Amino acid sequence: MAMFARRSLQRFLIDLEGKLSFEARQKLVHELNRQDASALGYEWELALLFALSRVGQVTYEAESQRGTRRPDIAFVEGQDGPIRFVADVATISDAGLEAENPVMRFSQSLHRLKRKCRLPGVLNYNIKGDSAGRNDRDRKMQLKLPRIADLDRFLETHVGPEFRRIAEEKLATATITVNQPGVEFSVTYAEGQRYSGGHYPSYTAAYSPTRNPVYTTLKAKARQLKQSGATDPFGIFLCDGGCTLLAKTGRQPQQVSVDEVIAEFFRQNSSVSFVVILVFPPTRAEAFTGIVKELKITGRIYSNPRSSNAPPADKLLSLINQGLAALPQPTATPRDALYWIARLEANEGRTIGTITHGGGLMSQTIKISARKIQEVLAGKITSQELFSEYERPGERFQNPFERALRLGQTMDAISLTKIPDGDDDLLEVRFSVPDPAISKLKVNS
């Protein structure tokens, strides 16, 4: 599973034959086939190479005669156009911040301890934080949690006895407060409530223009581009790997935005001519709809006013937009792509996860994942396992093939709809009116 369907990625690779060397394409394929989070970064590189190749000439990690580093991309507009640049691509995530602030691990360990103590109620926790730094422009939020390696032992020592007391005394509600050196949180237990939850300061928010993953990445990439020895303008593409800061533009209360981070980077670096940010719109919640994830890439370009050889921003933006328009619609957000990379089998894209019904009482039509049906026929999964995937809490899903047999309906027509930019196809099965082959004979009036 990836942002784009694996079929789309294969199409990109085929299109780049004759434009990139065999060695370059072989490296991309090797990295994309790895069952590792790093594959997302190479997917962004491949997508950019494909997009830019539609509007000019590209090379990937071309050897430099002047320096010791190879930039990710060298671009020339058209055959020998006026716009040319060398650029590095960086995929930025909040993974480092999440490792420093292990909220999810804390929540999982806390609920595991609750189950161990056989408590039937729900938990709500509140974690304190500390924005430490030499001054306001050097702050960084750090949640007051134990280290990941110490989490389970710490909770067993400081929360476990209270959980056991709640169980023994059969308390309906209770609050546990923990205040140890570097660790401060409270846990509220309540029976009769439906939902658990947690509150804590945002550790992915940037309080400093320089102590954040975007600035750190820009600084490292600027140094690498200088080491390439290239004479064309330098650019950096920052790509969405699940980084909260990348999507935050404009001024934020008590926080810095990505606009301010890049402005500070340009103030300290004149060698980089432009920065391009490619992100997915933030996930949002809507009434009656629930969680909404827009599967599209949006971009912004920042031109360095201190650069002596920056390409015209409007022309560069037009070229990049023209190239990005050639990309198919993504199939997953970067965060979802990382989730599925860690959970799906190697080299497999995601299947269609819905089933559609049509028709009336006497006949019916279903549309279902072709790959899932193939897996059932191959014995990889059972029909019970397949149709259990469509069940809702407290509601059993009825196998449509079983229902058709019970009604005396046989398959009347089967068609396959190919989805070139998806990793599955749609199998449509139409069932007939009751078929005498498997139903009672009758006399028509």
Side-chain angles (χ1 to χ4, degrees):
M1 178 62 177
M3 290 186 303
F4 296 99
R6 292 180 63 82
R7 289 172 176 171
S8 298
L9 299 180
Q10 184 63 58
R11 179 162 62 85
F12 297 168
L13 289 163
I14 292 172
D15 186 86
L16 288 169
E17 291 177 7
K19 301 175 183 178
L20 295 184
S21 68
F22 173 77
E23 290 75 20
R25 288 179 285 117
Q26 190 175 43
K27 177 183 177 178
L28 288 166
V29 164
H30 172 76
E31 298 296 342
L32 288 166
N33 281 332
R34 292 179 61 193
Q35 195 76 352
D36 188 85
S38 63
L40 182 65
Y42 287 96
E43 184 179 357
W44 271 114
E45 290 185 6
L46 176 60
L48 272 171
L49 288 164
F50 171 80
L52 292 172
S53 74
R54 315 299 284 185
V55 293
Q57 301 176 64
V58 292
T59 54
Y60 179 63
E61 294 187 345
E63 188 172 353
S64 172
Q65 300 296 323
R66 298 168 178 259
T68 57
R69 303 284 303 202
R70 297 185 180 190
D72 293 328
I73 296 174
F75 172 83
V76 178
E77 178 189 1
Q79 292 301 312
D80 192 19
I83 293 185
R84 53 200 308 138
F85 60 79
V86 295
D88 265 358
V89 182
T91 299
I92 308 180
S93 74
D94 289 332
L97 297 175
E98 289 164 356
E100 295 173 1
N101 301 274
V103 175
M104 292 304 297
R105 285 288 301 274
F106 171 81
S107 179
Q108 291 166 357
S109 295
L110 191 65
H111 283 83
R112 187 162 53 243
L113 182 59
K114 186 202 79 165
R115 290 191 296 271
K116 179 181 176 182
C117 295
R118 300 183 182 279
L119 293 176
V122 301
L123 302 177
N124 283 276
Y125 55 84
N126 192 324
I127 305 168
K128 300 297 183 180
D130 181 26
S131 56
R134 292 170 295 179
N135 51 55
D136 285 347
R137 290 177 61 82
D138 190 49
R139 292 186 302 144
K140 183 178 179 182
M141 180 58 67
Q142 181 71 48
L143 298 185
K144 293 187 173 183
L145 286 174
R147 296 181 307 167
I148 290 180
D150 301 330
L151 257 177
D152 290 337
R153 184 171 61 254
F154 185 94
L155 291 177
E156 179 63 47
T157 301
H158 296 278
V159 180
E162 292 299 310
F163 275 1
R164 284 184 277 274
R165 181 179 68 83
I166 294 169
E168 290 168 3
E169 299 179 10
K170 295 182 171 55
L171 299 178
T173 61
T175 298
I176 304 164
T177 300
V178 176
N179 194 342
Q180 296 289 318
V183 179
E184 188 176 357
F185 62 86
S186 62
V187 179
T188 300
Y189 170 79
E191 288 186 13
Q193 293 187 11
R194 296 180 61 186
Y195 302 109
S196 299
H199 297 85
Y200 46 88
S202 174
Y203 59 85
T204 59
Y207 300 91
S208 161
T210 56
R211 293 188 69 189
N212 59 76
V214 172
Y215 186 87
T216 302
T217 301
L218 287 171
K219 187 176 179 180
K221 287 299 184 183
R223 182 171 59 252
Q224 292 172 12
L225 286 168
K226 286 180 183 178
Q227 292 171 350
S228 72
T231 56
D232 287 335
F234 293 162
I236 299 173
F237 288 85
L238 299 181
C239 301
D240 191 351
C243 176
T244 305
L245 177 58
L246 274 187
K248 284 191 175 182
T249 59
R251 296 193 63 83
Q252 309 288 329
Q254 299 182 334
Q255 302 174 20
V256 297
S257 67
V258 70
D259 300 342
E260 294 170 288
V261 172
I262 292 176
E264 177 65 17
F265 171 73
F266 283 161
R267 189 183 70 81
Q268 297 191 35
N269 295 270
S270 61
S271 60
V272 176
S273 298
F274 67 89
V275 172
V276 174
I277 292 181
L278 300 175
V279 295
F280 283 61
T283 299
R284 64 184 190 275
E286 292 186 355
F288 308 112
T289 304
I291 301 299
V292 177
K293 300 177 182 180
E294 292 188 68
L295 297 178
K296 67 177 183 179
I297 298 171
T298 62
R300 299 187 302 278
I301 187 168
Y302 299 81
S303 187
N304 191 343
R306 299 183 62 235
S307 173
S308 60
N309 62 346
D314 55 341
K315 292 184 179 178
L316 180 60
L317 179 62
S318 176
L319 270 177
I320 293 173
N321 280 336
Q322 187 180 341
L324 292 177
L327 294 173
Q329 183 181 19
T331 60
T333 65
R335 286 185 184 275
D336 285 346
L338 289 170
Y339 176 88
W340 291 112
I341 285 172
R343 286 161 178 80
L344 287 180
E345 293 188 23
N347 306 325
E348 283 195 6
R350 196 178 177 190
T351 56
I352 295 171
T354 58
I355 183 170
T356 306
H357 294 264
L361 289 175
M362 301 304 293
S363 64
Q364 64 170 324
T365 300
I366 63 165
K367 294 180 180 179
I368 192 171
S369 160
R371 279 180 49 199
K372 285 293 185 184
I373 294 298
Q374 185 174 354
E375 289 177 2
V376 171
L377 294 174
K380 185 176 180 180
I381 60 174
T382 66
S383 60
Q384 289 83 2
E385 290 171 328
L386 168 60
F387 292 111
S388 68
E389 295 179 10
Y390 306 115
E391 290 180 353
R392 297 177 180 176
E395 180 181 332
R396 183 176 178 275
F397 186 86
Q398 188 177 26
N399 182 331
F401 292 91
E402 180 185 350
R403 177 178 181 273
L405 280 176
R406 193 170 62 253
L407 295 174
Q409 299 172 332
T410 55
M411 289 184 285
D412 190 45
I414 299 175
S415 62
L416 184 73
T417 302
K418 297 291 289 184
I419 306 175
D421 287 311
D423 283 326
D424 199 356
D425 300 310
L426 207 54
L427 189 70
E428 181 174 349
V429 181
R430 188 177 75 217
F431 296 97
S432 67
V433 297
D435 187 338
I438 59 170
S439 62
K440 289 183 179 181
L441 300 176
K442 63 181 181 179
V443 176
N444 294 323
S445 59

